[in-house]
Amino acid sequence: MKTSIVIATYNKLEYTQLCIESIREFTSQHEYEIIVVDNHSTDDTAAWLSSQSDITVIFNKENLGFPKACNQGIEISTGDNILLLNNDTIVTQNWLTNMLACLYSSEEVGAVGTVTNHCSYDQSIQVSYKSIEELHPFATQYNRASNPKLWEERLRLVGYCMLIKKQVLDEVGLLDERFTPGNFEDDDLSLRIKLAGYKLFLCRDTFIHHFGSVSFRNNIEAYNQLLSVNKDKFFKKWGFNPEATIIQNGLVKQIKALSTDPIRVLEMGSGCGGTLLYVRNHFPCAEVYGIETNPFAAKVATKVTPRIYGSLEDISHQYTDGFFDVIIVGNLGGFSDDTLDMVKLFYKLLNKNGQLIVIVPHLLYHLSIKKIIEGTINSDELKYWKLSDLEEVFHKLGFVKPEIIGLLEEIRPADQLFIQRLAEMAGLKTTKPYEIHSYLVMACKINKEQGVKTLINNLLLQNDIQSSVTKLAKIDAEEILNVIEDAGHEQKVELLNYIAVQFIEHQKPDLSLPYLSRAFELDASHDPTLFNLGLAMYTQGHDQLALDWLSLISVRDDKLEHWIKQIEADLYTKTYEKHKLKFLLRRLENDVEGEASLAELLRMLGNGEARIEQINQAIENDMVEKSQLLTQLAVACYEHDLPDMVFPFFEKALEFDADNQDALYLLARILYDLGEFDSARLYLNRVRNNDSSVTELMQKLSEVSAV
C-alpha cells in the first residue's frame, strides 16, 4: 500500500527541510512518495527542491494558494492514500503506521488526523519538550503503539496533517479552490467526507510537531480579513457558519456521570453535531439527541445521530417528562419570558437526578456596557443576564442552587483603562465582574445534601471511590462541610482527614485544604491532620509550608525525620536555582561580567535548565530595563543558533516597550536575514533613528522590493 504525501510550499525553506528530513527518517517502513508543489517561493526553496532526487516537484509560476497546490499534487499522485501535510511540521516515530492502522480499521473510516502541540479544534496537547532535540524522545514514547481506545471520532479534522483514502477523495472531490489562498478548505472537505457516509477519526495515539504561526510576524489585519471573506464563502456554500461545527467540550466535561452510565443527553442548538459526537466519545453508552433549527446543519448532524429535531416542542411532544439525564445549551439567550418558559420545559424533561448545563450571556460585560453608553446596543443584548438573576431564577424554576462559573475572554490593552474606571465608579477592588463575557450555569434537580451524604458513604464503604471523588470534587467544599457539620458525626476530625486524603491520593491536593483546615480548627494538635497538611503542601510544590506543618507534629519517627530532610534538600536546590537565574539576569543588566553571564544563560536555555517563561517572569518581577534586556537575549539566541527562542523574546520586549527602537531595528534585521522581507519592513518603518545601519537596511529592502 502506497501513501502519497502532498506538501505545498511558499518560502520557509528551513521548515520544509526539517519536514522532509523527518519523513525520510521516520517513514522508511512504508511505501510512500513525496510530492511538493511550490507556489513560486522567493527564497532558496526551488533550488533545494530541484536537487532532491526522491521528491516529485511542481513549480508554479505564481502563488496559486494552498487548496490549488494541494489539488495539483493529488492529481499527479500514484498512492492508495493521500496525506496532506503542512511544511511547518516534523513527523515522528510510528506516525504513519498508527494513522494507517486507524484509517484501515474499517471501511467506514474516510480520513484521520493526529494530535500536535499547536492546533485549533482541540487537536493540540500539552507537551514537555523544550527543543527539537527533546521532541523525538517525547514523540517516541507517545506514539509507542496504535491504540484503538485513543481513536476519537470527529466531525472535522484540521488539515495540517490529514490522511485520506484516495477512493474517498475520488468520491467526494478535491479541495474546494474557492477558499484560495486558504482557510476553511479543510472544514469543507471534512464535511463532504462526513456527508458521504464516512467517519473521521482523531488519532490521540499519534503525535507530530507543528510549528504553527508566530502571531506578531503575520499581518493580523490581512489575516482576519481573509478569515472573514472565506467565512462568507463557507456560509454561501453550506448555509451555516463554520461555528456550527464547534465542540462545546467544556460543557460536556461538566456532566456528572460515569463514562459507562447509559445516560440520555439532549443538546439545544446542536449545529452539525460536533458536541454530540464528543459526548458519545466520552460516554459510549449514551443516547444523544439534538435540536437544530438550521436544516443544512441538521442534515450534517443526522450523520452523528438520527435523533435531530427542529424545535424543543418536537422533543416535548415525542418524549415523556423526566426522559433526559442531561440537557446542554451552548447559548440560552437573554433573560425573557420565552427563555423562562424554555427552562421550565427543560425542568420537566429532566429526570429526578437530571442536570441542566447552560451558558448565558452577561449584561455587565465591559463591551456590553460600552455599547449602552454609545447607544449602539440592541434590544436582545439588553436582555442579557446579571449574576443576581441567575440563582433566583433557577431556584424559582425548581432547581437546586446552581453552580455558576464566570467565563473570561482576553482583554485588549485598549479596554483595560475603561474596565478599571468602571470598577472605580462601582467602588470595587476588582475588575473581574466586567471581564466576564458569559456564565456557565450547572443546575441540578437532585437533593444535593442527600447526594453528598451518599458520596461520603461510598468513600467510607470503599464503593466506587474514583467516581465518588470525581463527583465530590465538583461540589462546593462549603456545602460538603455543612453536611458533615449538620450530620453530627462523632469523629469529625477523622472524617475530614479521610476525605482530604482521598483528594490527595487522586491527584487533587488543592481540594483537600478546606477539609484539613476545618480539622485543624477543631483540633490543632492532631498529628494526622498536621501530617496531611504537610503532605498536601508538598504535593503542590510548597516545600517551605510543608516543613512548617510537619515541624508541629509532636510524635516524630525516623521515617518522618528522613522525609523532612529530603524536603529541606529539595527546598535548598530550588531556592539556589531560582536565585541563580535572577543573579545572572541582574549581572547581565548591569554589565557586570556580562559576557560570562550571557553565556551561562544561553547554556541553560539550550539544555532546558531554564525556560523562556521563567526568564520572562524573572525579568518582569525583578529587572528595571526589561525591554532592553529581552532584546539582548533575543539577539544572542539568534547569534548562538537558538531559533525557537528569538521571536518569543522579541515579542515580550515589544510588549514591555512597543517603541523600543533597538528592538524594532534588530528584529527587522533578523527578519530580513530570514527572508521575511514584508515583516521586516513593518518593523523598520517604526524606527525613527535614520543612522547608517538603518539607512543601509532600508536600501536593501527597497532593492528586494524592486526585484
Side-chain angles (χ1 to χ4, degrees):
M1 182 183 300
K2 185 176 181 181
T3 299
S4 298
I5 303 173
V6 178
I7 303 171
T9 59
Y10 178 68
N11 295 328
K12 310 285 186 183
L13 173 58
E14 65 277 16
Y15 290 120
T16 302
Q17 289 172 326
L18 285 171
C19 179
I20 299 294
E21 288 164 8
S22 68
I23 293 172
R24 289 166 174 162
E25 181 175 359
F26 295 109
T27 326
S28 57
Q29 70 271 41
H30 295 287
E31 184 183 1
Y32 69 94
E33 63 178 349
I34 303 175
I35 300 171
V36 176
V37 183
D38 184 67
N39 270 325
H40 197 57
S41 293
T42 56
D43 59 5
D44 295 328
T45 295
W48 184 81
L49 288 172
S50 297
S51 69
Q52 307 303 303
S53 60
D54 61 339
I55 301 177
T56 302
V57 189
I58 296 174
F59 293 107
N60 288 328
K61 295 181 179 180
E62 59 181 313
N63 188 345
L64 300 179
F66 181 80
K68 176 64 176 179
C70 288
N71 287 344
Q72 289 176 283
I74 295 169
E75 286 167 347
I76 67 166
S77 67
T78 60
D80 306 285
N81 319 299
I82 302 297
L83 201 158
L84 301 178
L85 187 67
N86 279 18
N87 71 323
D88 62 343
T89 58
I90 297 178
V91 303
T92 53
Q93 186 76 41
N94 291 335
W95 74 296
L96 189 54
T97 301
N98 288 358
M99 293 178 77
L100 286 170
C102 181
L103 186 67
Y104 284 92
S105 62
S106 167
E107 292 183 359
E108 292 182 306
V109 182
V112 300
T114 69
V115 294
T116 186
N117 58 299
H118 184 98
C119 187
S120 60
Y121 206 58
D122 195 36
Q123 280 191 221
S124 61
I125 63 168
Q126 293 293 320
V127 298
S128 58
Y129 62 86
K130 307 295 188 304
S131 64
I132 300 303
E133 290 72 21
E134 295 177 6
L135 157 65
H136 290 297
F138 171 87
T140 299
Q141 179 69 16
Y142 192 95
N143 299 356
R144 282 180 296 178
S146 179
N147 184 355
K149 292 181 180 179
L150 298 177
W151 299 343
E152 184 177 296
E153 189 180 351
R154 282 302 184 97
L155 187 66
R156 65 177 177 89
L157 296 168
V158 181
Y160 73 94
C161 178
M162 188 173 178
L163 179 63
I164 315 158
K165 290 175 180 173
K166 181 62 163 58
Q167 67 180 54
V168 172
L169 273 179
D170 290 340
E171 182 177 343
V172 304
L174 302 179
L175 276 66
D176 191 335
E177 294 175 14
R178 80 180 70 191
F179 297 109
T180 298
N183 277 311
F184 301 118
E185 72 283 343
D186 47 359
D187 303 59
D188 172 80
L189 179 59
S190 294
L191 291 176
R192 284 189 278 132
I193 293 173
K194 191 72 179 173
L195 282 175
Y198 296 99
K199 294 182 178 181
L200 301 95
F201 278 92
L202 177 64
C203 300
R204 288 197 176 275
D205 58 2
T206 312
F207 175 90
I208 72 168
H209 179 78
H210 184 209
F211 286 99
S213 60
V214 182
S215 59
F216 74 99
R217 292 170 63 188
N218 295 331
N219 186 333
I220 297 299
E221 185 176 345
Y223 181 73
N224 287 336
Q225 178 63 27
L226 172 61
L227 283 178
S228 178
V229 169
N230 277 9
K231 186 176 179 180
D232 289 341
K233 292 178 181 177
F234 186 95
F235 180 82
K236 288 176 182 177
K237 176 174 181 177
W238 286 96
F240 54 82
N241 285 318
E243 287 80 1
T245 66
I246 65 170
I247 302 172
Q248 299 272 15
N249 54 352
L251 303 188
V252 177
K253 289 175 182 177
Q254 305 306 320
I255 295 177
K256 296 177 180 177
L258 297 177
S259 61
T260 54
D261 286 348
I263 56 175
R264 291 170 175 155
V265 179
L266 169 66
E267 183 189 16
M268 181 83 176
S270 56
C272 294
T275 302
L276 294 177
L277 198 51
Y278 190 86
V279 170
R280 208 169 64 192
N281 285 328
H282 291 78
F283 298 91
C285 299
E287 293 179 7
V288 294
Y289 301 73
I291 299 171
E292 178 52 51
T293 58
N294 184 305
F296 305 106
K299 180 181 177 182
V300 180
T302 57
K303 296 298 181 179
V304 175
T305 173
R307 307 181 188 96
I308 299 294
Y309 300 89
S311 69
L312 185 57
E313 287 69 27
D314 293 341
I315 289 282
S316 63
H317 291 154
Q318 186 151 346
Y319 299 101
T320 59
D321 292 352
F323 183 80
F324 294 101
D325 298 280
V326 180
I327 296 178
I328 295 173
V329 188
N331 184 356
L332 187 61
F335 183 15
S336 65
D337 290 340
D338 289 342
T339 303
L340 297 182
D341 289 340
M342 183 167 35
V343 177
K344 288 177 185 177
L345 192 48
F346 290 152
Y347 185 88
K348 287 179 62 180
L349 288 168
L350 285 168
N351 63 36
K352 63 180 181 179
N353 298 321
Q355 184 183 8
L356 176 63
I357 304 170
V358 304
I359 290 180
V360 300
H362 184 209
L363 178 62
L364 299 183
Y365 182 45
H366 69 96
L367 293 182
S368 296
I369 295 176
K370 185 174 287 187
K371 286 183 179 180
I372 293 173
I373 295 172
E374 295 170 347
T376 58
I377 196 165
N378 62 47
S379 57
D380 288 336
E381 292 173 313
L382 283 171
K383 295 175 183 177
Y384 285 177
W385 297 69
K386 303 189 300 296
L387 179 60
S388 57
D389 300 328
L390 291 171
E391 288 188 7
E392 178 184 355
V393 168
F394 279 84
H395 180 70
K396 281 184 178 179
L397 294 174
F399 290 96
V400 179
K401 180 180 178 181
E403 300 173 52
I404 302 171
I405 299 173
L407 304 179
L408 306 177
E409 285 187 347
E410 185 176 352
I411 306 300
R412 298 179 304 172
D415 294 324
Q416 289 285 3
L417 181 59
F418 176 70
I419 296 173
Q420 187 63 45
R421 287 177 176 172
L422 286 175
E424 290 171 359
M425 286 189 292
L428 300 177
K429 294 181 179 180
T430 175
T431 59
K432 280 293 183 288
Y434 307 110
E435 297 175 20
I436 296 171
H437 67 85
S438 55
Y439 286 103
L440 169 60
V441 183
M442 293 157 285
C444 300
K445 293 177 72 171
I446 192 171
N447 182 317
K448 276 200 172 181
E449 182 175 332
Q450 187 58 46
V452 169
K453 288 181 180 178
T454 300
L455 293 173
I456 292 175
N457 285 333
N458 284 344
L459 291 182
L460 295 173
L461 296 171
Q462 301 287 298
N463 290 335
D464 206 2
I465 292 179
Q466 177 68 54
S467 173
S468 298
V469 169
T470 300
K471 291 177 180 179
L472 281 172
K474 295 182 178 181
I475 301 174
D476 186 83
E478 199 60 39
E479 292 183 25
I480 300 173
L481 291 170
N482 289 337
V483 170
I484 294 172
E485 187 69 32
D486 295 341
H489 200 285
E490 294 180 0
Q491 296 178 310
K492 288 181 184 175
V493 172
E494 288 78 7
L495 178 58
L496 290 165
N497 271 276
Y498 183 78
I499 294 173
V501 168
Q502 298 306 314
F503 281 125
I504 294 172
E505 289 183 351
H506 288 81
Q507 286 76 53
K508 303 177 189 293
D510 55 313
L511 300 182
S512 69
L513 297 180
Y515 307 97
L516 294 174
S517 298
R518 183 65 60 86
F520 182 74
E521 291 172 7
L522 295 172
D523 185 355
S525 62
H526 188 244
D527 280 354
T529 301
L530 299 173
F531 178 85
N532 289 330
L533 279 164
L535 178 61
M537 291 297 112
Y538 181 67
T539 54
Q540 294 180 81
H542 306 310
D543 294 351
Q544 186 57 60
L545 287 173
L547 288 174
D548 292 344
W549 285 113
L550 295 175
S551 67
L552 298 175
I553 295 176
S554 56
V555 180
R556 299 167 62 153
D557 56 18
D558 291 342
K559 186 176 180 180
L560 179 60
E561 292 291 350
H562 176 76
W563 191 34
I564 289 175
K565 288 180 181 178
Q566 181 61 48
I567 296 175
E568 288 174 340
D570 291 347
L571 183 62
Y572 173 80
T573 301
K574 290 177 183 177
T575 303
Y576 172 77
E577 290 300 326
K578 179 181 178 182
H579 287 297
K580 177 183 178 182
L581 189 60
K582 189 188 301 183
F583 173 73
L584 290 170
L585 288 168
R586 190 159 285 154
R587 285 163 67 91
L588 181 60
E589 181 182 35
N590 293 286
D591 198 22
V592 178
E593 297 186 9
E595 290 186 9
S597 299
L598 181 59
E600 179 64 9
L601 283 167
L602 292 173
R603 186 194 67 78
M604 292 171 69
L605 280 166
N607 63 21
E609 286 182 45
R611 301 193 308 273
I612 292 174
E613 295 79 9
Q614 290 175 307
I615 290 180
N616 286 344
Q617 192 65 53
I619 290 175
E620 183 171 355
N621 292 340
D622 300 297
M623 304 299 132
V624 177
E625 299 295 334
K626 298 177 174 58
S627 186
Q628 287 298 110
L629 189 54
L630 286 160
T631 300
Q632 188 175 356
L633 285 169
V635 173
C637 287
Y638 178 71
E639 293 173 345
H640 291 81
D641 198 27
L642 294 172
D644 290 346
M645 302 175 188
V646 175
F647 295 107
F649 279 136
F650 270 127
E651 187 171 21
K652 197 69 176 177
L654 293 174
E655 182 181 314
F656 283 121
D657 181 4
D659 195 43
N660 184 330
Q661 297 291 292
D662 288 340
L664 292 169
Y665 167 71
L666 292 167
L667 176 55
R669 192 183 72 186
I670 289 173
L671 288 168
Y672 171 81
D673 291 342
L674 295 174
E676 297 284 350
F677 304 129
D678 291 339
S679 297
R681 288 189 193 92
L682 288 174
Y683 290 101
L684 192 63
N685 287 339
R686 292 164 59 185
V687 178
R688 296 188 300 274
N689 306 323
N690 288 325
D691 58 21
S692 58
S693 58
V694 174
T695 302
E696 181 183 352
L697 183 55
M698 284 182 175
Q699 179 62 34
K700 288 181 178 179
L701 285 169
S702 72
E703 291 172 0
V704 171
S705 178
V707 173

